[in-house]
Amino acid sequence: MSTALLHTVPLSGQVINLCAALMLLLGFAMLAQRRVLSLINLFMLQGVVLFASTLIVALTTKQSHLLYSAGLTLVLKVFALPYILHRLIRKLSVKWDVETLLNIPTTMLVGIGLVVIAFNVAQPISQLSGTITRATIGIALACVLLSFLMMITRSKAVPQVIAFLAMENALFFAATSATYGMPMVVELGIALDVMVGMVILGVFFFHIRQQFDSLDIRHMERSKDA
Amino acid sequence: MNVYALFAQLLELVIALLLAPLLTGWVNQCRAWLQNRSAPPLLQTYYTLSKLFHKDVLIAHNASSLFRAAPYIIFACMALASAIVPTLSTELIFAPAADAIALVGLFALARVFIALAGMDVGTSFGSMGSRREMLVGFLAEPALLMVFFTASLISQSTSLSTIVDTLAHSEFAIYPSLAFAGVAFTMVSLAENARVPIDNPTTHLELTMIHEAMILEYSGRHLALIEWASSLKLFAYSCLGLALFFPFGIPATAEPAALSFALVILVVKLAMGGAALALIETLNAKLRIFRAPEFLGTAFLLAVLAMLVHLLLEAGP
Amino acid sequence: MREWILLDSITMTALGWLAIGVVGVAFPRRFTLISRVLFPLGAAFGLVLALLALNAIGSDAQVRILALGLPDLPFHLRLDALSAFFLFLLGVTGAGISIYAAGYLRKGEGTAPGLHCLLYHLFLFSMAFVMLADDGYAFMVAWETMALSSFFLVTSEHRHAEIRRAGYLYLLIAHIGAVGILLSFGVMAGSAGDYTFDAMRDFSTLGNWPTIAFLLALFGFGAKAGLLPLHVWLPEAHPAAPSPVSAMMSGVMLKTAIYGLLRVAFDLLHAQLWWWGVLLLVIGLGSALFGVIFAAVQTDMKRLLAYSSIENIGLIAVGCGLALVFKSFLLPNLAALALTATLYHCLNHAFFKSLLFLCTGSVLHATGERNLGKLGGLIHRMPWVAWLALVGVLASAGLPPLNGFVSEWLLLQSFLFTSGLPHGYLNMLLPVVAGAIALIAALAGFAMVKFFGIVFLGQPREEKLSAAHDAGRLERIGLLWLAAGCVLLGILPNLVITLLDPVTRQLVGGGLAATAASHGWWLLAPISEDRASYSPAIFLGSIAVFMPLVFWLVRRRFHGRLTRVAPWDCGFPLQTSRMQDTAEGFGQPIRRIFSPFLRRSGEHPSPFDVTPRYSSRVEDPFWYWLYLPIARLVEYGTRLIAFLQQGRIAIYLLYSFITLLVLLVVPRG
């Protein structure tokens, strides 16, 4: 039954499905990573996958603005942002190993549960969509939930920022693959929000480091009323 | 059950028995090239086996009959396993004897016997090796089973011949779930065949051994049979990986022409697989023993993810 | 009239057991009579019962009303496919255990042999009666008899305080469960007051009452079966009992609870809800994981087997739950597959667990030790027990070609179909459960390798082990019978599936015999040959052919010289028995990985202790999470009420006076 169904999907759809699966794999890999440098490399890989899928959608649906946003993705998420993050890490002299609040196997198990929830929630939504790659909404929702989980279970600030950026990646992926892109205005607006968020977070990092001499957010718990 | 199927089955068994040591030798050769040193000759494993068969067997005073019988049992299990995995053709007479789940059970049977043999003489290294082997085994087995489940869900069958037929002979389609399952399978086969990063097959330090520690007390023909069985296990796992993830070239019939063509393709694929294995071994360091559960847990979760991705992306509403 | 003879014959055979028990208690100290005549006679009756039940599985249901019982509540008996199958299980396992017990009884130990004989055969008789009972009253009478006789059997060596304590706990939880079962029958009988199962079958399915009946039955039967969280009696009672009794309890008594659950869930209640199945599945999975993790860290060999029983009952419950899920979605053939796997596993577990418990009995008799840390190397002194225990260990670990693997294979096959269920979350989560089952099976292998390796292999850890003797003749016959059962059940799966077909047809309306029988006796292909197939005969045959072939070839081509020397051990000169793994040592990786679920306590010596003592215990966390809080709550409640006990006569008279006033004033009209 399943193989017959798969052959009704054209090759471009199958490649987009493959990109979706790779996004999910990278989301899990980031969840299980201990080292910050590897996290940034994985984020860069996720940017590459995003670029590839946007490019394919742009070529098959012949929408030129998607070509621009693919190019923007390449410049920002594959080159600019990882470079900025590397520089930030060097300036803040962050330690390389990342501690997590839950141990890694438990985090992965919770991740699997989130994936199941996301797949089930997205089933009725994807029935409404008219594109061939509507199953990828489930994966994109799962990636969003996974990056949220990553934000919760990390105790250092830099991985939390990377999780925030990964969430934005997943949302972008959902938009391009399920609805074949969004209006340019919306996209630019989102990009602006992310940039502003990064600036504010960057300022925050320096302040936190100044106050507590470390980027461990658990130190901030000390400032609550005892 | 025609004559061709019987012939294909016997040929497969004989090829496995003959080529398995060559595969091990080839992996060692590639590793040496990558590490910029000169390797022992390609046929070294055969020379070692011959030497061991000619030597006397020395066993401990308190070794039991289980200890003496175990090498034969393990060798028989591995030979049966390599006969079941479809390498040259999917029309084999042993094909209905065991499906994927029974194959996992067969590997488990061999593992239990070698663990018991390790505990038999009552040395510290033997029981340590058995304990570690069962630890790796209990985590690797569910991961392997989940990989087979994914393949079974795609082909609606757990019979290996049917799986290979479906994957090899239907139209070309990209299965992302198989990509995940492939990564999980590679991790599991590294663990089960005692390769870096779980176990170093060339270590001399007993406290870092898993597989070697269990067979420390064996010598002579017993050791030869166990070494041969290990090579057969590596061969079976490699052929299994090739059959599941790169099945082009395995014919659905058993005619001699198709078989010889399949044999050539098999040798080429195994050579590439062996080189890839050597590359993975060179690029990775051996993990601490208690990082091994994490490694295998990741493999298990990847396999589960593969199944979930299949249910979402490929099964349809 | 021929049909009546079958049910009557079975009842007569069961009464024969009772008669044996009575004869035994009439001559309480005649050891030779009891152990050489009565117990083997009991085994023979077990075989007869099994043969009769085998005949009965294929025939129609038969009913009988006995003249016993209360005036308006006579005992109803019924023999249908489900009871016949469980009677077969009882008979065939009981035969092996009885023969072993004949050889196991030793003069001058514990209770008088006659009393033992009575209790043991009363136990067998009551279990047969449970399966024949067709109304709530007869069922409860038989159930209570079973609980009481097994309590007395468990506390055979009542002079030890911990055995008394284990027996008390067992009786307590058995009665809590019995209350649940009684309430469940009450709900199903409704207000009509008719407690026969026929009346319960006509019970209306409106509202929440079926759910309440199912939950009460799950509670009651789960307490007897050893499902979480009512399992705490199992690891205490099974080791405390003498080994034949442990084998009987683990092998057969736990299955009567499963029989009850199947009877209520599939037969008495008609429309099943899918979430009942999911609940049962979750409880079963939790029990199985719990049981196997704890089995892997035990240091007492009988406790290890008891926890392993919890694991197997958990797996059986998973199969039951899956069958319920399939039936609620109106998929009778898939439900039949899951149910076949469940019933097959019941039969398999009866055989291999009894075999293992009886082997520990022989070890206990030969060495006097239950602690794994004091055993070792027994394969040299007790070869019969060791090799038959190996059969049990391989079967318990679920390895081909023995029987444990077949039921696991069937269960995993039925899980493969769950991805087609029409329910959104279920079709994704249930295939993952299959992965958990594979994990449980692999961990069971770990626990069994630990059991066999530490008891039978290696060097003896104590001096006195060199005086161990092998099992006696009658004991060997019992062990051989059970081991042969394990092998045959593994090699002839189609036979068993054809046997189970009427049972599944009665319960879920579908059966596998049609497809199974079409492939010949040697190939198991329950759905179709393309879909899945497994041939244990070819498996065993090829291994049995390869081994001698290789042996002969190597001998011919090379040589067969062998010399015995000291162990190599990498050149270390000193080899004492203390240098091999202890039971704690072998279980250490599991302890470490699963440490959040275990509760550990122990004392560690400081470096300055003159006489250092080290102890480490793994305890059941349910005591601290569930039972102790409940006990404290009960104590608190009773303390609150205790204020009523003032001790002065005037106050007690005041109580009676107030009650009288209330009764006069309040009820009107």
Side-chain angles (χ1 to χ4, degrees), chain B residues 81-128:
Chain B
S82 15
I84 293 173
V85 175
T87 49
L88 294 179
S89 156
T90 55
E91 195 184 329
L92 305 166
I93 53 167
F94 271 168
D99 64 340
I101 304 178
L103 189 65
V104 174
L106 188 60
F107 286 130
L109 183 67
R111 180 172 53 240
V112 164
F113 268 103
I114 201 169
L116 287 177
M119 294 179 84
D120 189 63
V121 181
T123 62
S124 5
F125 296 123
S127 39
M128 179 193 80

Side-chain angles (χ1 to χ4, degrees), chain A:
Chain A
M1 146 191 106
S2 55
T3 43
L5 208 64
L6 198 53
H7 294 130
T8 62
V9 181
L11 187 65
S12 57
Q14 289 184 14
V15 175
I16 294 185
N17 280 345
L18 183 65
C19 291
L22 283 175
M23 287 278 296
L24 191 60
L25 182 63
L26 287 169
F28 258 103
M30 288 205 282
L31 199 59
Q33 259 310 320
R34 277 202 164 85
R35 311 172 65 220
V36 174
L37 278 185
S38 323
L39 266 180
I40 301 182
N41 291 339
L42 287 171
F43 174 71
M44 189 179 73
L45 277 177
Q46 213 179 35
V48 169
V49 169
L50 205 56
F51 161 69
S53 93
T54 320
L55 192 65
I56 294 181
V57 172
L59 290 176
T60 47
T61 58
K62 312 211 184 337
Q63 297 181 52
S64 55
H65 77 91
L66 275 183
L67 280 175
Y68 292 137
S69 66
L72 207 60
T73 309
L74 186 69
V75 166
L76 276 182
K77 299 206 175 126
V78 177
F79 296 124
L81 276 177
Y83 174 67
I84 295 176
L85 284 168
H86 274 292
R87 270 197 52 191
L88 196 66
I89 284 182
R90 242 176 292 138
K91 266 174 100 169
L92 295 175
S93 51
V94 165
K95 282 214 254 306
W96 304 135
D97 269 345
V98 166
E99 303 153 31
T100 54
L101 294 175
L102 278 181
N103 66 342
I104 291 196
T106 320
T107 327
M108 302 274 266
L109 276 175
V110 174
I112 289 263
L114 288 176
V115 167
V116 171
I117 293 176
F119 282 5
N120 273 298
V121 164
Q123 284 267 19
I125 303 176
S126 55
Q127 315 250 0
L128 295 171
S129 160
T131 64
I132 16 166
T133 54
R134 53 190 187 238
T136 55
I137 293 185
I139 291 198
L141 186 59
C143 287
V144 169
L145 290 178
L146 283 179
S147 21
F148 217 129
L149 182 66
M150 196 166 110
M151 259 206 287
I152 299 174
T153 59
R154 300 283 168 162
S155 58
K156 295 271 169 68
V158 175
Q160 290 183 328
V161 167
I162 299 183
F164 177 67
L165 292 171
M167 211 189 313
E168 199 265 329
N169 269 357
L171 285 170
F172 185 72
F173 181 73
T176 47
S177 63
T179 57
Y180 288 165
M182 34 187 177
M184 200 65 173
V185 180
V186 176
E187 215 175 288
L188 284 178
I190 294 180
L192 187 66
D193 278 335
V194 171
M195 254 194 21
V196 169
M198 284 286 291
V199 168
I200 295 179
L201 281 169
V203 169
F204 246 139
F205 285 169
F206 280 107
H207 274 212
I208 295 174
R209 241 247 339 238
Q210 232 177 2
Q211 185 79 4
F212 298 108
D213 219 8
S214 143
L215 274 180
D216 196 334
I217 52 163
R218 289 180 287 202
H219 290 239
M220 290 205 283
E221 293 166 21
R222 266 190 261 143
S223 57
K224 72 175 181 211
D225 288 331

Side-chain angles (χ1 to χ4, degrees), chain B residues 225-302:
Chain B
L225 283 173
I226 292 186
E227 294 284 350
W228 204 348
S230 309
S231 306
L232 274 174
K233 188 170 182 177
L234 181 63
F235 186 85
Y237 265 91
S238 312
C239 291
L240 198 55
L242 292 174
L244 285 177
F245 305 111
F246 302 102
F248 4 96
I250 300 183
T253 61
E255 266 121 50
L259 282 183
S260 19
F261 180 60
L263 184 60
V264 168
I265 293 205
L266 178 73
V267 168
V268 168
K269 286 199 278 189
L270 277 178
M272 297 202 300
L277 176 62
L279 186 65
I280 297 177
E281 288 211 274
T282 315
L283 288 179
N284 281 306
K286 179 176 159 345
L287 291 173
R288 281 176 55 201
I289 185 70
F290 279 110
R291 289 270 198 250
E294 272 180 28
F295 180 80
L296 288 168
T298 315
F300 177 72
L301 286 169
L302 272 178

Side-chain angles (χ1 to χ4, degrees), chain C residues 364-423:
Chain C
L364 194 53
H365 253 184
T367 62
E369 278 296 341
R370 248 169 54 185
N371 188 350
L372 283 171
K374 299 211 164 79
L375 295 168
L378 289 173
I379 193 173
H380 303 286
R381 304 287 315 171
M382 308 173 69
W384 277 91
V385 174
W387 285 99
L388 293 171
L390 184 65
V391 173
V393 157
L394 292 177
S396 178
L399 296 173
L402 294 174
N403 57 353
F405 180 72
V406 181
S407 47
E408 221 174 85
W409 190 87
L410 286 170
L411 191 62
L412 285 172
Q413 289 292 341
S414 48
F415 266 104
L416 270 177
F417 284 103
T418 55
S419 60
L421 283 175
H423 187 279

Side-chain angles (χ1 to χ4, degrees), chain C residues 490-515:
Chain C
I491 302 192
L492 302 172
N494 277 333
L495 213 60
V496 180
I497 290 184
T498 322
L499 192 72
L500 289 173
D501 186 68
V503 186
T504 57
R505 273 191 204 284
Q506 182 202 345
L507 293 182
V508 297
L512 294 178
T515 46

Side-chain angles (χ1 to χ4, degrees), chain B residues 54 56-57 59 97 157-158 217, chain C residues 530-531 535 559 561 563 565:
Chain B
H54 278 106
D56 282 11
V57 167
I59 63 176
S157 156
T158 56
E217 298 294 328
Chain C
D530 289 335
R531 171 88 208 193
S535 174
H559 61 83
R561 290 195 295 272
T563 322
V565 292

Side-chain angles (χ1 to χ4, degrees), chain C residues 268-513:
Chain C
L268 298 181
L269 295 169
H270 294 293
Q272 289 82 9
L273 300 176
W274 65 267
W275 65 267
W276 294 357
V278 173
L279 179 65
L280 189 53
L281 206 147
V282 167
I283 291 180
L285 197 64
S287 311
L289 263 177
F290 178 83
V292 80
I293 291 174
F294 272 79
V297 298
Q298 289 305 310
T299 56
D300 175 329
M301 61 179 178
K302 287 179 87 168
R303 268 181 94 100
L304 193 152
L305 292 177
Y307 274 112
S308 167
S309 290
I310 298 182
E311 174 231 330
N312 280 296
I313 290 289
L315 284 179
I316 292 175
V318 166
C320 249
L322 194 61
L324 271 175
V325 167
F326 280 136
K327 180 144 196 272
S328 66
F329 284 114
L330 304 171
L331 298 162
N333 281 321
L334 294 179
L337 182 60
L339 199 59
T340 309
T342 311
L343 293 170
Y344 208 141
H345 200 74
C346 286
L347 193 57
N348 289 342
H349 181 241
F351 270 92
F352 63 67
K353 196 40 70 64
S354 312
L355 176 61
L356 285 173
F357 264 114
L358 294 182
C359 290
T360 62
S362 294
V363 169
L364 194 53
H365 253 184
T367 62
E369 278 296 341
R370 248 169 54 185
N371 188 350
L372 283 171
K374 299 211 164 79
L375 295 168
L378 289 173
I379 193 173
H380 303 286
R381 304 287 315 171
M382 308 173 69
W384 277 91
V385 174
W387 285 99
L388 293 171
L390 184 65
V391 173
V393 157
L394 292 177
S396 178
L399 296 173
L402 294 174
N403 57 353
F405 180 72
V406 181
S407 47
E408 221 174 85
W409 190 87
L410 286 170
L411 191 62
L412 285 172
Q413 289 292 341
S414 48
F415 266 104
L416 270 177
F417 284 103
T418 55
S419 60
L421 283 175
H423 187 279
Y425 280 94
L426 281 184
N427 69 353
M428 287 203 194
L429 284 174
L430 287 181
V432 181
V433 172
I437 294 200
L439 180 71
I440 291 168
L443 263 176
F446 187 102
M448 284 301 141
V449 164
K450 167 175 166 166
F451 171 77
F452 189 79
I454 295 191
V455 174
F456 292 106
L457 300 176
Q459 302 178 43
R461 290 179 179 79
E462 291 278 314
E463 279 306 315
K464 62 178 173 176
L465 293 176
S466 51
H469 59 87
D470 205 351
R473 199 166 30 107
L474 284 172
E475 293 177 358
R476 278 183 218 175
I477 296 179
L479 292 176
L480 268 173
W481 171 256
L482 292 170
C486 286
V487 174
L488 285 175
L489 285 176
I491 302 192
L492 302 172
N494 277 333
L495 213 60
V496 180
I497 290 184
T498 322
L499 192 72
L500 289 173
D501 186 68
V503 186
T504 57
R505 273 191 204 284
Q506 182 202 345
L507 293 182
V508 297
L512 294 178

